[in-house]
Amino acid sequence: MVWSRIGARLSGRSGILELMDDLGQALADGTDTVAMMGGGNPAHVPAVEEAWRARLTQMMATPGEIEHALGDYDPPAGRTSFRQAVATYLQQQCGWPVTAEHVVVTAGSQTGCFLLFNLLAGTGEDGRLRRVGFPMVPEYIGYADQLAEPGVLTAWQPRVEATGEHRFRYRIDRDAVDPGDDLGLLAVSRPCNPTAGCLEDDDLDWLIDLAVQRGLVLLIDNAYGLPFPGAVYAERRPPAWSDHLVYGLSLSKLGLPGTRTGIMVCGDPQLARRLAAMNAVIGLANPSLGQAIVEPWLLDGTMDRLGSEVVPGFYRAARDTALAQLDRALAGREYAVHEPDGAFFLWLHLPGLADDRALYRACKAAGLVVVPGSYFFPGFARAWHHRHQCLRLSYCRPEAEIARGCQVLAQVLAAT
Ligand code: PLP
């Protein structure tokens, strides 16, 4: 069989496929035998589950509500009332002058990124190639294989700053980042998957200025951040609004990944209309259930409580425990963890490591699933030994499992 170019790209081996396969396999195998620190699955946060259970009960009891959520297609841009509720929420929380016209729903923010990247990057109607640029790597594994055309991603090496004993931080190298004249889009995850760093406010302002000066769109992928789901534990604010921004939100890390609900808030409403048109071609409409569950939360204070207390409280405690466990397990070794400002990962740098994938395989054989760091360098072409020296560890599973995983990691490192 001869695959199309785009078909071969999307259906070949990719980092994201390996990651999702491992996650599914480990969960299917049963977690007693495996420490699962590999996936991007959020934790089951009891207070969040209580909230959606109550909301589903209410929907079942309200004539027509569940029937509408399950029995009707929504418009391709998403439910109008949901888009209005998102706009109202962002006006109140962030002071942004956005309306429903700026908001488009997608089947998960992964799909939203796919649509946006392919709308703005690749060969343009004018015949010119435009790229997606990542101001610093490591960056989200899921961006790597999203483009219909190859060779369209570019990325810049960050500065690496030691911040304390066994701690470090990547910073954008402002002198190095040069968008040139062939960029269609800049993209950054904030908080960052995989590093858990949350771009400092001044770096964010600098990036927005750069996008405005160069006439570029800047995607801030806020799958973990502010104002919801709120997995941010350092002092950070949402960005100042700009017509050049696309702010990507998702219900997944709030605890609803199964509803596949992404939300793109576009500075330019024309972009939102284009994305909605792509939704219609690719999927007709989006999953409705997540929108139906969350819509009243945006207006009645529930989302405030979840995003400012429940979610950050839960993950901050889990982060503190996991970090202490990792520090204990690796005592006496040379290692550094990226400052974990948000999300639910620990990004571990092992300066002596030669091959992160060999370590990943050894960990897996010993019952610990992690993600090798070298996947998280989309578009980064330079040789940099650092990229083969890192692992991403998720701490969403129960405390005892994380402790077991840290022990297994220490044993595997001692044996190699
Ligand atoms: N962006 C980032 C930074 C992520 O980490 C993820 C998932 O892990 C996504 C986007 C996609 O999430 P979803 O499609 O579930 O909204």
Side-chain angles (χ1 to χ4, degrees):
M1 215 174 289
V2 180
W3 311 118
S4 68
R5 282 191 185 157
I6 180 174
R9 281 183 63 68
L10 294 179
S11 63
R13 286 300 304 169
S14 62
I16 197 73
L17 177 64
E18 195 161 316
L19 174 70
M20 295 308 280
D21 269 358
D22 263 352
L23 174 64
Q25 194 57 47
L27 292 176
D29 287 351
T31 48
D32 281 352
T33 53
V34 170
M36 180 61 206
M37 298 174 77
N41 211 83
H44 287 247
V45 180
V48 174
E49 297 194 333
E50 213 174 281
W52 61 246
R53 217 171 248 120
R55 174 69 188 124
L56 282 175
T57 306
Q58 182 193 44
M59 285 170 69
M60 297 291 277
T62 310
E65 264 218 77
I66 198 78
E67 289 80 359
H68 180 40
L70 298 181
D72 296 320
Y73 287 120
D74 284 329
R79 281 188 172 202
T80 310
S81 55
F82 177 74
R83 291 164 58 219
Q84 271 159 356
V86 169
T88 303
Y89 189 74
L90 294 175
Q91 286 161 15
Q92 288 166 355
Q93 296 288 318
C94 307
W96 294 348
V98 291
T99 66
E101 296 292 294
H102 297 87
V103 178
V104 58
V105 177
T106 58
S109 61
Q110 182 75 10
T111 305
C113 292
F114 178 83
L115 300 179
L116 185 72
F117 284 15
N118 284 290
L119 183 61
L120 295 175
T123 305
E125 286 181 314
D126 58 1
R128 281 182 50 205
L129 187 78
R130 287 181 183 77
R131 296 175 204 278
V132 179
F134 304 113
M136 70 173 169
V137 278
E139 192 44 282
Y140 174 46
I141 189 173
Y143 300 147
D145 299 288
Q146 291 239 315
L147 269 296
E149 282 178 67
V152 181
L153 304 180
T154 191
W156 288 275
Q157 186 170 322
R159 289 190 286 113
V160 180
E161 289 180 3
T163 54
E165 203 185 357
H166 298 301
R167 299 289 181 268
F168 77 105
R169 180 181 287 289
Y170 300 114
R171 297 292 304 257
I172 291 182
D173 186 346
R174 296 187 190 180
D175 297 329
V177 174
D178 172 14
D181 58 4
D182 66 348
L183 222 58
L185 173 76
L186 279 165
V188 65
S189 59
R190 183 183 192 253
C192 174
N193 175 0
T195 69
C198 189
L199 204 65
E200 286 77 356
D201 294 337
D202 64 322
D203 277 339
L204 192 63
D205 291 342
W206 179 82
L207 264 186
I208 295 171
D209 284 349
L210 185 70
V212 171
Q213 280 163 22
R214 302 296 185 99
L216 295 170
V217 170
L218 170 64
L219 168 67
I220 301 174
D221 179 348
N222 180 64
Y224 302 84
L226 303 170
F228 69 83
V232 177
Y233 329 116
E235 275 299 308
R236 297 289 188 276
R237 58 166 167 74
W241 187 245
S242 159
D243 294 352
H244 290 256
L245 279 189
V246 173
Y247 203 65
L249 291 147
S250 169
L251 300 187
S252 293
K253 312 305 174 180
L254 187 68
L256 293 166
T259 68
R260 307 309 301 128
T261 313
I263 306 157
M264 290 280 175
V265 186
C266 303
D268 182 348
Q270 189 199 171
L271 259 184
R273 284 194 294 277
R274 288 269 171 179
L275 294 172
M278 293 169 94
N279 267 337
V281 171
I282 291 170
L284 298 185
N286 296 294
S288 308
L289 196 58
Q291 299 176 69
I293 292 172
V294 163
E295 186 181 317
W297 292 358
L298 292 162
L299 306 171
D300 70 6
T302 304
M303 190 60 104
D304 285 353
R305 186 173 61 81
L306 297 179
S308 63
E309 294 167 29
V310 171
V311 170
F314 180 92
Y315 284 116
R316 186 188 286 112
R319 175 202 65 172
D320 291 347
T321 308
L323 196 53
Q325 285 166 337
L326 188 65
D327 279 334
R328 254 197 312 279
L330 299 186
R333 294 199 157 269
E334 198 188 352
Y335 72 95
V337 180
H338 194 284
E339 293 288 349
D341 304 322
F344 39 66
F345 308 113
L346 298 177
W347 178 253
L348 175 64
H349 178 219
L350 296 161
L353 191 66
D355 181 357
D356 60 317
R357 294 192 194 204
L359 178 58
Y360 155 76
R361 286 191 295 273
C363 287
K364 202 172 165 193
L368 165 66
V369 181
V370 299
V371 187
S374 51
Y375 280 133
F376 295 92
F377 290 77
F380 186 69
R382 290 177 60 178
W384 185 29
H385 57 280
H386 186 106
R387 72 188 288 176
H388 302 291
Q389 298 178 330
C390 300
L391 294 180
R392 193 197 74 179
L393 312 171
S394 159
Y395 51 79
C396 287
R397 304 288 301 170
E399 199 176 311
E401 189 173 328
I402 305 299
R404 199 159 65 231
C406 293
Q407 286 305 326
V408 172
L409 176 63
Q411 285 157 11
V412 171
L413 285 172
T416 49

